[in-house]
Structure formats: structure tokens, C-alpha cells
Amino acid sequence: MLPDDHELERLYAYPQMDRPWVRTNFVTTIDGAAYAVDGRSGSLGGADDTRVFALLRSLTDVIVVGAGTARAERYGPVKAGDIDSGLRARLGLATSPPIAIVSRRLDIPEALVSPGQLVITTSTASQSAIDRLRETIDVIAIGEERIDWPAVLAEFADRGWTRVLCEGGPSLHGDLVALDLVDEICLTIAPVLSAGDAPRIAHGDTPVEHAMVLGHALDADGVLLTRWVRDRTYTPAHV
Ligand SMILES: NC(=O)c1ccc[n+]([C@@H]2O[C@H](COP(=O)([O-])OP(=O)(O)OC[C@H]3O[C@@H](n4cnc5c(N)ncnc54)[C@H](OP(=O)(O)O)[C@@H]3O)[C@@H](O)[C@H]2O)c1
């Protein structure tokens, strides 16, 4: 069973930081699949994972998500009933966090082209698409071939956003891991074996080895809810 709300809030509190802290949140099967047979991840973690998912949204300034995930999981703006508004008020956070969708092609789900939401893209993305989006929502277009993530995080800091939550997916996560920008991962391990060809939770061209330390592991009736923090003091011997 999970601890009560007060203890969960303590366990998942963001550290006090003067720069954006990047937390990612994923669920996986025991054998590392990032989604279930239906091609989506929402069903894997069950009710306790859903509870922590909502808490993490309640604690953040901005939710960053790849366009692939937004399209597969049918993302829309965060609804008031999906987050703890009392907790947000107590922490001095905005009423609800914006969804910042990451895309190069700018094929943005209609539901997210809604005031208050955000698009992150490259400066070389289609200018007409950027102009069209800017009629309704904010667009951060930084970096030429690739999004310049340190510059995006600097932009977040300028907006006073230091609590960053990335909800995936594996391609976006792979980029952020390769750049060593992930400070923390909240990982739920569902008691399921799946085989198949689903990707892992971070997927990309550049293999890296970044040490993490365990923050906590909670056993919620066989579903394991873990939190891991980047250990920036450790260098693998062979590097
Ligand atoms: N297990 C979990 O917790 C979890 C979490 C999230 C998602 N998922 C699953 O993962 C699957 C989606 O995987 P995915 O790897 O395709 O997801 P993704 O990373 O969300 O989406 C990839 C797309 O996002 C955009 N993108 C990502 N990184 C970018 C970057 N650095 N610069 C510019 N654009 C970038 C591109 O969009 P454009 O094509 O628009 O340019 C790219 O095609 C879904 O089945 C979803 O259910 C699982």
C-alpha cells in the first residue's frame, strides 16, 4: 500500500534549486517495455501509479512531452480535477501546469492548440506553422538542427519554472539522458512480463552511462514505485 498523501508529498518534493530540475516519469514492465500490448503505457501501473502520476503533475511548473506520446496518449491540457489545486496553492504554483509539447514536424494535436499551452521546436521548423501556432499558443523555437535544451531550460528559468516534469516518451527521454539533463527519474515497474518489441524508456543513438542513486522504492501491492536521482559525483572507471 502507498503511504498517505502527506508522506507521498514529502517523498516526491522537488529539491530547492536555483536552476530548473528535470524530473522524468515513466512506467515499464519487468522486462523493460515502455508500453503495453495496446501501444499505450497508461494501463500498466494501475491505480497507485495513477495516483503518483497526478501528484507529480500537481508538483510541477511545466509538463514536457514528446509529440509521439501526446499523439499516442491523446494528450490535452491538464484539467483542474486531475491535479491537487490545494497543494498547488500551498506551494505558490500556478493554477495548472502548461503542457509543453516537443515537435520538429509541428503536427500538434488540436486539443493542445489551446491558450496556456506551449510548443518547443527548432528555429528551422516551418515558419508558417510556427506563425499559425503563435496565433493561439506560445512557441519556444531554439536550436537549428536540434532543439537547444540548455537554452530551453534557461528560458524556463526566466519564466520562474524550476520544477520540470517530462512525461516522455522514449525518444525525447533518450535525447535528454544523452545530454545528461535528467536530474531524476520516477520509475514505476509493473509486475508484468511482455516480450515483444516495445522500446525501453530511453531510446536513442548515443549510449551513455550515467550513475543514479536510489531515492526511494515503494511496494504498492507488487507495483514498485521508485525514484532515482542523478549522482553527479560518480564517474565510471572506464570513462
Ligand atoms: N512507459 C511510459 O511511461 C511512457 C511514457 C511516455 C510515452 N510512452 C509511450 O511511448 C510511445 C511513443 O514513443 P516515442 O519515442 O515516439 O515518443 P516521444 O518521444 O514522445 O515522441 C517522439 C516525437 O516527439 C518529437 N520529439 C521528441 N524528441 C524531440 C526532440 N529532441 N526534438 C524535436 N522533436 C522531438 C518528434 O515529434 P514530431 O514527429 O512531431 O517532430 C518525435 O517524432 C507511445 O506508445 C507512448 O505510449 C510510454
Side-chain angles (χ1 to χ4, degrees), residues 25-29 33-36 38-42 44 49 53 65-73 75 101-108 120-122 145-147 149 166-176 179 186-188 199-201 203:
N25 183 29
F26 279 88
V27 59
T28 177
T29 63
Y35 50 71
D38 63 358
R40 299 172 71 181
S41 58
L44 278 177
D49 181 58
F53 183 89
V65 66
T69 298
R71 293 188 285 255
E73 307 276 346
Y75 265 57
I101 180 169
V102 180
S103 173
R104 200 173 278 114
R105 288 189 295 128
L106 296 179
D107 172 16
I108 308 298
I120 300 172
T121 191
T122 59
E145 283 307 298
R146 294 169 161 267
I147 291 171
W149 283 105
C166 173
E167 293 183 342
S171 308
L172 173 58
H173 198 212
D175 290 342
L176 297 178
L179 291 166
C186 297
L187 178 66
T188 296
R200 293 177 296 121
I201 58 163
H203 169 81

Short mmCIF file of all heavy atoms in Angstrom, two decimals, residues 25-29 33-36 38-42 44 49 53 65-73 75 101-108 120-122 145-147 149 166-176 179 186-188 199-201 203, ligand 1:
data_model
loop_
_atom_site.label_atom_id
_atom_site.label_comp_id
_atom_site.label_asym_id
_atom_site.label_seq_id
_atom_site.Cartn_x
_atom_site.Cartn_y
_atom_site.Cartn_z
N ASN A 25 9.14 10.89 -15.66
CA ASN A 25 8.22 9.92 -15.06
C ASN A 25 7.85 8.86 -16.09
O ASN A 25 7.34 9.21 -17.17
CB ASN A 25 6.96 10.64 -14.56
CG ASN A 25 6.01 9.68 -13.85
OD1 ASN A 25 6.44 8.68 -13.26
ND2 ASN A 25 4.73 9.96 -13.89
N PHE A 26 8.12 7.61 -15.74
CA PHE A 26 7.85 6.50 -16.67
C PHE A 26 7.31 5.30 -15.93
O PHE A 26 7.52 5.14 -14.73
CB PHE A 26 9.15 6.08 -17.39
CG PHE A 26 9.50 6.98 -18.54
CD1 PHE A 26 10.26 8.12 -18.33
CD2 PHE A 26 9.06 6.70 -19.82
CE1 PHE A 26 10.57 8.97 -19.37
CE2 PHE A 26 9.37 7.55 -20.87
CZ PHE A 26 10.12 8.68 -20.65
N VAL A 27 6.67 4.44 -16.70
CA VAL A 27 6.28 3.12 -16.21
C VAL A 27 6.86 2.11 -17.18
O VAL A 27 6.96 2.37 -18.39
CB VAL A 27 4.74 3.01 -16.07
CG1 VAL A 27 4.03 3.24 -17.39
CG2 VAL A 27 4.33 1.66 -15.49
N THR A 28 7.28 0.98 -16.65
CA THR A 28 7.84 -0.07 -17.51
C THR A 28 7.39 -1.43 -17.01
O THR A 28 7.00 -1.58 -15.84
CB THR A 28 9.39 0.01 -17.50
OG1 THR A 28 9.92 -1.06 -18.27
CG2 THR A 28 9.95 -0.08 -16.10
N THR A 29 7.44 -2.43 -17.91
CA THR A 29 7.23 -3.80 -17.46
C THR A 29 8.54 -4.30 -16.83
O THR A 29 9.59 -3.65 -16.97
CB THR A 29 6.87 -4.72 -18.65
OG1 THR A 29 7.98 -4.75 -19.55
CG2 THR A 29 5.62 -4.22 -19.36
N ALA A 33 9.68 -3.03 -21.19
CA ALA A 33 8.86 -2.45 -22.25
C ALA A 33 8.23 -1.15 -21.78
O ALA A 33 7.72 -1.05 -20.67
CB ALA A 33 7.75 -3.43 -22.66
N ALA A 34 8.26 -0.15 -22.66
CA ALA A 34 7.73 1.18 -22.29
C ALA A 34 6.24 1.31 -22.58
O ALA A 34 5.65 2.34 -22.29
CB ALA A 34 8.50 2.27 -23.02
N TYR A 35 5.64 0.31 -23.19
CA TYR A 35 4.18 0.33 -23.32
C TYR A 35 3.61 -1.08 -23.40
O TYR A 35 4.32 -2.05 -23.66
CB TYR A 35 3.70 1.20 -24.47
CG TYR A 35 4.33 1.00 -25.82
CD1 TYR A 35 4.08 -0.14 -26.57
CD2 TYR A 35 5.15 1.99 -26.36
CE1 TYR A 35 4.64 -0.29 -27.83
CE2 TYR A 35 5.71 1.84 -27.62
CZ TYR A 35 5.45 0.69 -28.34
OH TYR A 35 6.01 0.54 -29.58
N ALA A 36 2.31 -1.17 -23.15
CA ALA A 36 1.62 -2.44 -23.11
C ALA A 36 1.24 -2.88 -24.51
O ALA A 36 1.53 -2.18 -25.50
CB ALA A 36 0.37 -2.30 -22.22
N ASP A 38 -1.40 -2.69 -26.05
CA ASP A 38 -2.25 -1.73 -26.77
C ASP A 38 -1.45 -0.53 -27.29
O ASP A 38 -2.02 0.41 -27.85
CB ASP A 38 -3.41 -1.25 -25.88
CG ASP A 38 -2.94 -0.49 -24.64
OD1 ASP A 38 -1.70 -0.36 -24.44
OD2 ASP A 38 -3.79 -0.03 -23.86
N GLY A 39 -0.10 -0.54 -27.09
CA GLY A 39 0.72 0.55 -27.59
C GLY A 39 0.69 1.78 -26.70
O GLY A 39 1.25 2.82 -27.03
N ARG A 40 0.06 1.66 -25.53
CA ARG A 40 -0.01 2.78 -24.60
C ARG A 40 0.50 2.34 -23.23
O ARG A 40 0.54 1.14 -22.94
CB ARG A 40 -1.46 3.30 -24.51
CG ARG A 40 -1.97 3.79 -25.87
CD ARG A 40 -3.43 4.12 -25.86
NE ARG A 40 -3.69 5.33 -25.10
CZ ARG A 40 -4.91 5.83 -24.92
NH1 ARG A 40 -5.96 5.24 -25.44
NH2 ARG A 40 -5.09 6.94 -24.22
N SER A 41 0.89 3.31 -22.41
CA SER A 41 1.51 2.95 -21.13
C SER A 41 0.56 3.11 -19.95
O SER A 41 0.81 2.57 -18.87
CB SER A 41 2.75 3.81 -20.91
OG SER A 41 2.40 5.18 -20.94
N GLY A 42 -0.52 3.86 -20.14
CA GLY A 42 -1.39 4.24 -19.03
C GLY A 42 -1.93 3.07 -18.24
O GLY A 42 -2.10 3.16 -17.01
N LEU A 44 -0.51 0.22 -17.57
CA LEU A 44 0.47 -0.68 -16.96
C LEU A 44 0.56 -0.56 -15.44
O LEU A 44 0.69 -1.56 -14.75
CB LEU A 44 1.87 -0.39 -17.54
CG LEU A 44 2.22 -1.03 -18.88
CD1 LEU A 44 3.60 -0.58 -19.30
CD2 LEU A 44 2.16 -2.55 -18.76
N ASP A 49 -0.03 3.92 -9.47
CA ASP A 49 0.79 4.69 -10.41
C ASP A 49 0.02 5.93 -10.86
O ASP A 49 0.59 7.02 -10.97
CB ASP A 49 1.15 3.81 -11.61
CG ASP A 49 2.01 4.55 -12.62
OD1 ASP A 49 3.09 5.03 -12.23
OD2 ASP A 49 1.59 4.67 -13.79
N PHE A 53 1.25 9.67 -10.57
CA PHE A 53 1.25 10.47 -11.80
C PHE A 53 0.56 11.82 -11.55
O PHE A 53 1.07 12.89 -11.92
CB PHE A 53 0.51 9.67 -12.89
CG PHE A 53 0.47 10.30 -14.25
CD1 PHE A 53 1.48 10.07 -15.18
CD2 PHE A 53 -0.60 11.12 -14.63
CE1 PHE A 53 1.44 10.64 -16.45
CE2 PHE A 53 -0.64 11.70 -15.89
CZ PHE A 53 0.37 11.45 -16.80
N VAL A 65 6.43 17.04 -22.95
CA VAL A 65 6.08 15.73 -23.52
C VAL A 65 6.38 15.72 -25.02
O VAL A 65 6.16 16.72 -25.72
CB VAL A 65 4.60 15.39 -23.23
CG1 VAL A 65 3.63 16.32 -23.95
CG2 VAL A 65 4.28 13.95 -23.59
N GLY A 66 6.90 14.60 -25.50
CA GLY A 66 7.18 14.45 -26.92
C GLY A 66 5.87 14.34 -27.71
O GLY A 66 4.87 13.83 -27.20
N ALA A 67 5.93 14.78 -28.96
CA ALA A 67 4.72 14.77 -29.78
C ALA A 67 4.21 13.35 -30.01
O ALA A 67 3.01 13.11 -30.11
CB ALA A 67 4.99 15.46 -31.11
N GLY A 68 5.13 12.36 -30.07
CA GLY A 68 4.72 10.97 -30.28
C GLY A 68 3.82 10.50 -29.14
O GLY A 68 2.78 9.87 -29.36
N THR A 69 4.21 10.83 -27.93
CA THR A 69 3.42 10.45 -26.75
C THR A 69 2.10 11.23 -26.73
O THR A 69 1.04 10.66 -26.45
CB THR A 69 4.23 10.73 -25.47
OG1 THR A 69 5.40 9.92 -25.52
CG2 THR A 69 3.44 10.42 -24.22
N ALA A 70 2.19 12.51 -27.01
CA ALA A 70 0.97 13.33 -27.00
C ALA A 70 -0.05 12.78 -27.99
O ALA A 70 -1.26 12.75 -27.70
CB ALA A 70 1.31 14.78 -27.32
N ARG A 71 0.44 12.32 -29.15
CA ARG A 71 -0.48 11.78 -30.16
C ARG A 71 -0.99 10.40 -29.71
O ARG A 71 -2.20 10.14 -29.75
CB ARG A 71 0.21 11.70 -31.53
CG ARG A 71 0.53 13.09 -32.13
CD ARG A 71 1.05 13.02 -33.58
NE ARG A 71 2.41 12.55 -33.70
CZ ARG A 71 3.47 13.33 -33.97
NH1 ARG A 71 3.31 14.63 -34.13
NH2 ARG A 71 4.67 12.82 -34.07
N ALA A 72 -0.07 9.51 -29.22
CA ALA A 72 -0.48 8.14 -28.84
C ALA A 72 -1.41 8.15 -27.63
O ALA A 72 -2.35 7.37 -27.56
CB ALA A 72 0.76 7.29 -28.55
N GLU A 73 -1.13 9.03 -26.67
CA GLU A 73 -1.88 9.01 -25.42
C GLU A 73 -3.00 10.07 -25.41
O GLU A 73 -3.61 10.32 -24.37
CB GLU A 73 -0.93 9.24 -24.22
CG GLU A 73 0.27 8.29 -24.16
CD GLU A 73 -0.03 6.95 -23.50
OE1 GLU A 73 -1.08 6.84 -22.85
OE2 GLU A 73 0.78 6.02 -23.66
N TYR A 75 -3.17 13.43 -25.58
CA TYR A 75 -2.99 14.49 -24.57
C TYR A 75 -3.90 15.69 -24.84
O TYR A 75 -4.14 16.06 -25.98
CB TYR A 75 -1.54 14.98 -24.60
CG TYR A 75 -0.64 14.31 -23.58
CD1 TYR A 75 -0.49 12.93 -23.56
CD2 TYR A 75 0.05 15.06 -22.64
CE1 TYR A 75 0.33 12.32 -22.64
CE2 TYR A 75 0.88 14.45 -21.71
CZ TYR A 75 1.02 13.07 -21.72
OH TYR A 75 1.84 12.48 -20.80
N ILE A 101 4.63 20.73 -25.54
CA ILE A 101 4.79 19.60 -26.47
C ILE A 101 6.01 19.84 -27.36
O ILE A 101 6.20 20.95 -27.87
CB ILE A 101 3.50 19.37 -27.29
CG1 ILE A 101 3.67 18.20 -28.26
CG2 ILE A 101 3.01 20.60 -28.00
CD1 ILE A 101 2.38 17.75 -28.90
N VAL A 102 6.83 18.80 -27.50
CA VAL A 102 8.09 18.89 -28.23
C VAL A 102 7.90 18.26 -29.61
O VAL A 102 7.49 17.11 -29.72
CB VAL A 102 9.20 18.13 -27.47
CG1 VAL A 102 10.53 18.22 -28.22
CG2 VAL A 102 9.32 18.67 -26.05
N SER A 103 8.19 19.04 -30.65
CA SER A 103 7.94 18.53 -32.00
C SER A 103 8.84 19.23 -33.00
O SER A 103 9.10 20.42 -32.89
CB SER A 103 6.48 18.77 -32.39
OG SER A 103 6.26 18.43 -33.74
N ARG A 104 9.29 18.48 -33.98
CA ARG A 104 10.04 19.08 -35.09
C ARG A 104 9.06 19.35 -36.24
O ARG A 104 9.10 20.38 -36.86
CB ARG A 104 11.15 18.11 -35.52
CG ARG A 104 12.28 18.73 -36.30
CD ARG A 104 13.41 17.73 -36.52
NE ARG A 104 14.30 17.62 -35.37
CZ ARG A 104 14.44 16.53 -34.61
NH1 ARG A 104 13.75 15.45 -34.87
NH2 ARG A 104 15.28 16.53 -33.60
N ARG A 105 8.16 18.39 -36.50
CA ARG A 105 7.22 18.49 -37.63
C ARG A 105 6.06 19.44 -37.37
O ARG A 105 5.36 19.85 -38.28
CB ARG A 105 6.65 17.11 -37.94
CG ARG A 105 7.64 16.17 -38.59
CD ARG A 105 6.95 14.90 -39.08
NE ARG A 105 6.40 14.08 -38.00
CZ ARG A 105 5.16 13.63 -37.95
NH1 ARG A 105 4.29 13.95 -38.89
NH2 ARG A 105 4.75 12.88 -36.94
N LEU A 106 5.80 19.71 -36.10
CA LEU A 106 4.72 20.61 -35.67
C LEU A 106 3.33 20.09 -36.06
O LEU A 106 2.44 20.87 -36.39
CB LEU A 106 4.96 22.04 -36.18
CG LEU A 106 6.21 22.71 -35.61
CD1 LEU A 106 6.39 24.11 -36.17
CD2 LEU A 106 6.15 22.77 -34.09
N ASP A 107 3.20 18.78 -35.99
CA ASP A 107 1.88 18.15 -36.16
C ASP A 107 1.30 18.02 -34.74
O ASP A 107 1.41 16.98 -34.09
CB ASP A 107 2.07 16.78 -36.84
CG ASP A 107 0.78 15.98 -36.87
OD1 ASP A 107 -0.29 16.57 -36.66
OD2 ASP A 107 0.86 14.75 -37.09
N ILE A 108 0.73 19.13 -34.28
CA ILE A 108 0.31 19.23 -32.87
C ILE A 108 -1.17 18.84 -32.73
O ILE A 108 -2.01 19.38 -33.46
CB ILE A 108 0.50 20.69 -32.36
CG1 ILE A 108 1.92 21.19 -32.65
CG2 ILE A 108 0.15 20.81 -30.88
CD1 ILE A 108 3.02 20.44 -31.98
N ILE A 120 7.58 23.40 -28.08
CA ILE A 120 9.04 23.55 -28.12
C ILE A 120 9.52 22.93 -29.43
O ILE A 120 9.20 21.77 -29.73
CB ILE A 120 9.72 22.86 -26.93
CG1 ILE A 120 9.22 23.46 -25.60
CG2 ILE A 120 11.24 22.98 -27.02
CD1 ILE A 120 9.69 22.71 -24.37
N THR A 121 10.26 23.70 -30.21
CA THR A 121 10.71 23.21 -31.51
C THR A 121 12.05 23.85 -31.87
O THR A 121 12.63 24.58 -31.06
CB THR A 121 9.62 23.48 -32.59
OG1 THR A 121 9.96 22.78 -33.78
CG2 THR A 121 9.46 24.96 -32.89
N THR A 122 12.52 23.56 -33.09
CA THR A 122 13.77 24.16 -33.55
C THR A 122 13.48 25.49 -34.27
O THR A 122 12.35 25.72 -34.74
CB THR A 122 14.49 23.23 -34.56
OG1 THR A 122 13.60 23.00 -35.65
CG2 THR A 122 14.88 21.92 -33.93
N GLU A 145 19.55 22.58 -36.06
CA GLU A 145 19.28 21.17 -36.42
C GLU A 145 18.50 20.46 -35.31
O GLU A 145 17.63 19.65 -35.56
CB GLU A 145 20.60 20.44 -36.69
CG GLU A 145 21.22 20.76 -38.04
CD GLU A 145 20.23 20.54 -39.18
OE1 GLU A 145 19.80 19.38 -39.35
OE2 GLU A 145 19.88 21.51 -39.86
N ARG A 146 18.90 20.77 -34.08
CA ARG A 146 18.30 20.12 -32.92
C ARG A 146 17.84 21.18 -31.92
O ARG A 146 18.40 22.27 -31.89
CB ARG A 146 19.35 19.26 -32.19
CG ARG A 146 19.82 18.09 -33.02
CD ARG A 146 21.03 17.42 -32.41
NE ARG A 146 21.15 16.08 -32.96
CZ ARG A 146 20.64 14.99 -32.41
NH1 ARG A 146 20.03 15.06 -31.24
NH2 ARG A 146 20.76 13.81 -32.99
N ILE A 147 16.86 20.84 -31.13
CA ILE A 147 16.44 21.76 -30.06
C ILE A 147 17.63 21.96 -29.11
O ILE A 147 18.29 20.99 -28.73
CB ILE A 147 15.23 21.19 -29.30
CG1 ILE A 147 14.00 21.20 -30.22
CG2 ILE A 147 14.96 21.98 -28.02
CD1 ILE A 147 12.80 20.48 -29.66
N TRP A 149 18.53 22.25 -25.79
CA TRP A 149 17.86 22.03 -24.50
C TRP A 149 18.39 22.91 -23.36
O TRP A 149 17.58 23.43 -22.57
CB TRP A 149 17.88 20.54 -24.13
CG TRP A 149 16.84 19.81 -24.91
CD1 TRP A 149 17.04 18.99 -25.98
CD2 TRP A 149 15.41 19.91 -24.74
NE1 TRP A 149 15.83 18.56 -26.49
CE2 TRP A 149 14.83 19.10 -25.74
CE3 TRP A 149 14.59 20.59 -23.86
CZ2 TRP A 149 13.44 18.97 -25.87
CZ3 TRP A 149 13.22 20.46 -23.98
CH2 TRP A 149 12.66 19.65 -24.97
N CYS A 166 9.04 15.77 -17.15
CA CYS A 166 8.95 15.24 -18.51
C CYS A 166 8.24 13.89 -18.44
O CYS A 166 8.69 13.00 -17.72
CB CYS A 166 10.34 15.10 -19.12
SG CYS A 166 10.31 14.27 -20.73
N GLU A 167 7.16 13.77 -19.20
CA GLU A 167 6.38 12.53 -19.20
C GLU A 167 6.71 11.64 -20.40
O GLU A 167 5.94 10.76 -20.75
CB GLU A 167 4.88 12.86 -19.16
CG GLU A 167 4.47 13.50 -17.83
CD GLU A 167 2.99 13.79 -17.69
OE1 GLU A 167 2.26 13.83 -18.72
OE2 GLU A 167 2.55 14.02 -16.55
N GLY A 168 7.82 11.88 -21.03
CA GLY A 168 8.25 11.02 -22.13
C GLY A 168 8.04 11.66 -23.48
O GLY A 168 7.83 12.87 -23.56
N GLY A 169 8.11 10.84 -24.52
CA GLY A 169 8.30 9.40 -24.47
C GLY A 169 9.76 9.01 -24.60
O GLY A 169 10.66 9.82 -24.38
N PRO A 170 9.99 7.75 -25.00
CA PRO A 170 11.33 7.20 -25.04
C PRO A 170 12.31 7.99 -25.94
O PRO A 170 13.49 8.11 -25.59
CB PRO A 170 11.10 5.79 -25.60
CG PRO A 170 9.71 5.45 -25.17
CD PRO A 170 8.95 6.74 -25.26
N SER A 171 11.86 8.54 -27.07
CA SER A 171 12.79 9.28 -27.95
C SER A 171 13.24 10.58 -27.29
O SER A 171 14.43 10.88 -27.22
CB SER A 171 12.14 9.62 -29.29
OG SER A 171 11.60 8.48 -29.87
N LEU A 172 12.27 11.35 -26.79
CA LEU A 172 12.61 12.60 -26.09
C LEU A 172 13.48 12.30 -24.87
O LEU A 172 14.50 12.96 -24.63
CB LEU A 172 11.32 13.32 -25.67
CG LEU A 172 11.51 14.55 -24.81
CD1 LEU A 172 12.38 15.59 -25.50
CD2 LEU A 172 10.16 15.15 -24.43
N HIS A 173 13.12 11.27 -24.12
CA HIS A 173 13.88 10.90 -22.93
C HIS A 173 15.31 10.53 -23.31
O HIS A 173 16.26 10.93 -22.63
CB HIS A 173 13.18 9.72 -22.25
CG HIS A 173 13.57 9.51 -20.82
ND1 HIS A 173 13.62 8.26 -20.25
CD2 HIS A 173 13.94 10.37 -19.86
CE1 HIS A 173 13.99 8.38 -18.99
NE2 HIS A 173 14.19 9.66 -18.72
N GLY A 174 15.47 9.78 -24.42
CA GLY A 174 16.80 9.41 -24.88
C GLY A 174 17.67 10.64 -25.14
O GLY A 174 18.84 10.68 -24.78
N ASP A 175 17.07 11.66 -25.76
CA ASP A 175 17.81 12.90 -26.03
C ASP A 175 18.24 13.57 -24.72
O ASP A 175 19.38 14.00 -24.57
CB ASP A 175 16.95 13.89 -26.82
CG ASP A 175 16.71 13.43 -28.25
OD1 ASP A 175 17.45 12.55 -28.72
OD2 ASP A 175 15.76 13.94 -28.88
N LEU A 176 17.31 13.67 -23.78
CA LEU A 176 17.61 14.36 -22.52
C LEU A 176 18.64 13.59 -21.69
O LEU A 176 19.53 14.18 -21.08
CB LEU A 176 16.33 14.57 -21.71
CG LEU A 176 15.28 15.47 -22.38
CD1 LEU A 176 14.02 15.56 -21.51
CD2 LEU A 176 15.83 16.88 -22.64
N LEU A 179 22.10 14.02 -23.19
CA LEU A 179 22.65 15.35 -22.86
C LEU A 179 22.94 15.51 -21.37
O LEU A 179 23.37 16.58 -20.93
CB LEU A 179 21.65 16.44 -23.30
CG LEU A 179 21.49 16.61 -24.82
CD1 LEU A 179 20.24 17.45 -25.13
CD2 LEU A 179 22.74 17.27 -25.40
N CYS A 186 11.34 9.15 -11.91
CA CYS A 186 10.35 8.43 -11.12
C CYS A 186 9.90 7.27 -12.01
O CYS A 186 9.32 7.50 -13.07
CB CYS A 186 9.18 9.33 -10.76
SG CYS A 186 9.71 10.71 -9.72
N LEU A 187 10.22 6.08 -11.60
CA LEU A 187 10.00 4.90 -12.45
C LEU A 187 9.11 3.90 -11.74
O LEU A 187 9.44 3.45 -10.64
CB LEU A 187 11.35 4.25 -12.78
CG LEU A 187 11.28 2.98 -13.63
CD1 LEU A 187 10.73 3.29 -15.03
CD2 LEU A 187 12.66 2.32 -13.73
N THR A 188 8.01 3.58 -12.39
CA THR A 188 7.13 2.54 -11.86
C THR A 188 7.41 1.25 -12.62
O THR A 188 7.44 1.25 -13.86
CB THR A 188 5.65 2.95 -12.05
OG1 THR A 188 5.42 4.12 -11.27
CG2 THR A 188 4.70 1.84 -11.61
N PRO A 199 9.85 -0.30 -27.18
CA PRO A 199 11.14 0.29 -26.81
C PRO A 199 11.30 0.36 -25.29
O PRO A 199 10.33 0.21 -24.55
CB PRO A 199 11.05 1.70 -27.39
CG PRO A 199 9.60 2.00 -27.45
CD PRO A 199 8.91 0.70 -27.70
N ARG A 200 12.54 0.58 -24.88
CA ARG A 200 12.81 0.89 -23.47
C ARG A 200 12.38 2.34 -23.20
O ARG A 200 11.98 3.05 -24.12
CB ARG A 200 14.29 0.70 -23.17
CG ARG A 200 14.74 -0.75 -23.26
CD ARG A 200 16.24 -0.86 -23.02
NE ARG A 200 17.00 -0.16 -24.04
CZ ARG A 200 17.86 0.84 -23.80
NH1 ARG A 200 18.06 1.26 -22.57
NH2 ARG A 200 18.50 1.42 -24.79
N ILE A 201 12.54 2.78 -21.96
CA ILE A 201 12.04 4.11 -21.60
C ILE A 201 12.95 5.24 -22.08
O ILE A 201 12.56 6.40 -22.01
CB ILE A 201 11.79 4.24 -20.09
CG1 ILE A 201 13.08 3.95 -19.32
CG2 ILE A 201 10.65 3.33 -19.65
CD1 ILE A 201 13.04 4.43 -17.90
N HIS A 203 15.55 5.92 -25.45
CA HIS A 203 15.91 5.26 -26.69
C HIS A 203 16.59 6.30 -27.58
O HIS A 203 16.08 7.40 -27.75
CB HIS A 203 14.59 4.77 -27.32
CG HIS A 203 14.72 4.29 -28.70
ND1 HIS A 203 15.17 3.04 -29.01
CD2 HIS A 203 14.46 4.90 -29.88
CE1 HIS A 203 15.17 2.89 -30.31
NE2 HIS A 203 14.76 4.00 -30.87
N1 LIG B 1 6.21 3.89 -20.35
C1 LIG B 1 5.97 5.15 -20.21
O1 LIG B 1 5.95 5.66 -19.09
C2 LIG B 1 5.73 6.01 -21.42
C3 LIG B 1 5.80 7.39 -21.31
C4 LIG B 1 5.58 8.15 -22.45
C5 LIG B 1 5.30 7.52 -23.66
N2 LIG B 1 5.22 6.18 -23.71
C6 LIG B 1 4.91 5.51 -24.98
O2 LIG B 1 5.91 5.78 -25.92
C7 LIG B 1 5.34 5.77 -27.23
C8 LIG B 1 5.82 6.97 -28.01
O3 LIG B 1 7.21 6.84 -28.15
P1 LIG B 1 8.10 7.91 -28.91
O4 LIG B 1 9.52 7.58 -28.68
O5 LIG B 1 7.60 8.10 -30.29
O6 LIG B 1 7.68 9.19 -28.06
P2 LIG B 1 8.08 10.72 -28.00
O7 LIG B 1 9.49 10.93 -27.61
O8 LIG B 1 7.02 11.27 -27.13
O9 LIG B 1 7.80 11.25 -29.45
C9 LIG B 1 8.72 11.31 -30.49
C10 LIG B 1 8.35 12.54 -31.29
O10 LIG B 1 8.43 13.68 -30.42
C11 LIG B 1 9.11 14.72 -31.06
N3 LIG B 1 10.43 14.82 -30.44
C12 LIG B 1 10.95 14.03 -29.46
N4 LIG B 1 12.16 14.48 -29.11
C13 LIG B 1 12.42 15.55 -29.88
C14 LIG B 1 13.50 16.46 -30.00
N5 LIG B 1 14.60 16.35 -29.21
N6 LIG B 1 13.41 17.45 -30.90
C15 LIG B 1 12.32 17.60 -31.68
N7 LIG B 1 11.24 16.77 -31.62
C16 LIG B 1 11.30 15.77 -30.73
C17 LIG B 1 9.15 14.35 -32.53
O11 LIG B 1 7.88 14.77 -32.98
P3 LIG B 1 7.47 15.18 -34.47
O12 LIG B 1 7.35 13.87 -35.18
O13 LIG B 1 6.17 15.88 -34.29
O14 LIG B 1 8.56 16.05 -35.00
C18 LIG B 1 9.26 12.83 -32.46
O15 LIG B 1 8.81 12.21 -33.64
C19 LIG B 1 3.84 5.74 -27.06
O16 LIG B 1 3.41 4.43 -27.33
C20 LIG B 1 3.64 6.05 -25.60
O17 LIG B 1 2.52 5.39 -25.07
C21 LIG B 1 5.47 5.40 -22.63
#
